Amino acid sequence: MPVSLIFVIRPIEATQTPASLGRAAHAAVLRLIDAADPTLAAQIHDDDGPKPLTVSNVIGLEVRHHIAHVHPDRRYRLRVTLLTPALEAIAATWRPDALAPLDLDGLLWRVEQTIIDPADDPWTGISTYESLASAVINRSAAPVRWTFEFATPVTFRQRGLNQPLPLPALTFGSLLERWNAFAPIAFPDEVRRFAEECLAVSRFDLRSRSEPTKGGVPQIGAVGRITYAAVNRDRYWLACIDALAQFALFSGIGASTTRGYGQARLLDEGARPAVS
């Protein structure tokens, strides 16, 4: 089952640290997985395809000139999403009192709380693929408009270059790839073509943001909000798009989601008009 959780963490000492801790956070989560299932951790590390997890950068850092100053008087957050039953079972054992401090680039952070209830934080939650795909399975009403919030830069690899604009085919193509890699219910590849030909950007409030890569070269992405609207009202394809839109909370969107890029969620679900 897809899971999105947040670790509430606190540094053991006051110090300064690189502002970009996404790679270190991903490595720390892989170590947690390795402690429970070394074979699964090695498979995730070595697999070149879509990864069944995302890991954010440390949330709440105060950054200046790519350096963050952290202090044990403050609490920070680390968001992790998991896409397979095996990882969900491992995450169920991640109780704060059972976890050793997380090592992020040599700095230790205590895990003080685990949040998984969306009532406590809208970026958390747990679902099933069947629940997300209920409109497809039941042939029920489907929305015609979807608004996403990108909390961290979203970018796509396209013909060897980074494309930082979340065009409909790129956004839903990314979601489709991850969905079909891990969900027991596959969607047809034509969903990508429907997104390209039948979805339009109806509103956006985006800005560019750069993040340093491992080699220090800035990588550009877009943060903010964007709304996609359907110009074709075919109920089946709309239901597929809606399932993928809800899946975004768990899967992330675009490139480099394992180190904090493309953290996204669907907004205003109750207000979206539907076609029956």
Side-chain angles (χ1 to χ4, degrees):
M1 295 199 303
V3 176
S4 175
L5 63 89
I6 287 176
F7 290 134
V8 179
I9 58 177
R10 189 188 299 269
I12 288 179
E13 61 178 329
T15 187
Q16 62 181 33
T17 183
S20 181
L21 290 170
R23 289 183 183 276
H26 177 246
V29 172
L30 272 185
R31 287 193 292 270
L32 293 179
I33 297 169
D34 182 76
D37 189 334
T39 301
L40 178 58
Q43 179 183 348
I44 293 171
H45 181 273
D46 296 338
D47 196 344
D48 291 332
K51 304 290 187 180
L53 80 164
T54 76
V55 184
S56 74
N57 193 14
V58 175
I59 301 167
L61 297 176
E62 295 182 356
V63 179
R64 188 172 184 181
H65 303 303
H66 304 299
I67 298 294
H69 294 270
V70 299
H71 198 280
D73 286 346
R74 290 193 57 193
R75 301 205 301 174
Y76 303 81
R77 296 187 172 203
L78 186 68
R79 181 169 177 263
V80 179
T81 72
L82 310 161
L83 300 180
T84 65
L87 288 177
E88 180 198 3
I90 292 172
T93 69
W94 291 347
R95 301 183 309 275
D97 59 353
L99 292 175
L102 303 178
D103 183 344
L104 306 184
D105 270 357
L107 177 61
L108 298 180
W109 303 69
R110 286 190 295 268
V111 178
E112 296 192 341
Q113 182 183 359
T114 301
I115 302 173
I116 199 168
D117 188 342
D120 297 323
D121 191 297
W123 286 92
T124 65
I126 184 168
S127 188
T128 67
Y129 288 102
E130 291 79 7
S131 175
L132 295 173
S134 61
V136 181
I137 297 170
N138 300 323
R139 306 289 179 173
S140 56
V144 297
R145 187 165 61 243
W146 303 265
T147 297
F148 287 92
E149 177 184 4
F150 293 103
T152 62
V154 60
T155 189
F156 304 87
R157 293 294 292 172
Q158 192 177 40
R159 295 187 292 275
L161 300 173
N162 283 332
Q163 165 58 274
L165 297 178
L167 300 173
L170 295 176
T171 293
F172 288 96
S174 171
L175 290 167
L176 177 67
E177 180 181 24
R178 286 182 173 85
W179 176 280
N180 283 350
F182 304 111
I185 306 165
F187 292 152
D189 290 340
E190 286 81 0
V191 172
R192 189 191 309 264
R193 187 173 70 178
F194 180 86
E196 182 173 21
E197 297 179 356
C198 301
L199 295 186
V201 175
S202 65
R203 183 179 302 171
F204 63 91
D205 181 10
L206 298 170
R207 62 188 183 280
S208 63
R209 182 188 295 174
S210 65
E211 298 281 351
T213 62
K214 184 177 181 180
V217 177
Q219 183 166 315
I220 306 298
V223 296
R225 297 185 178 190
I226 188 168
T227 299
Y228 306 102
V231 297
N232 180 314
R233 301 302 177 92
D234 183 282
R235 187 169 63 182
Y236 173 76
W237 297 114
L238 293 177
C240 292
I241 291 293
D242 189 56
L244 295 177
Q246 295 179 67
F247 182 53
L249 175 71
F250 306 100
S251 74
I253 295 174
S256 302
T257 56
T258 57
R259 57 185 178 89
Y261 276 74
Q263 300 247 317
R265 63 177 178 136
L266 181 64
L267 299 176
D268 301 325
E269 291 187 81
R272 293 176 293 148
V275 165
S276 60

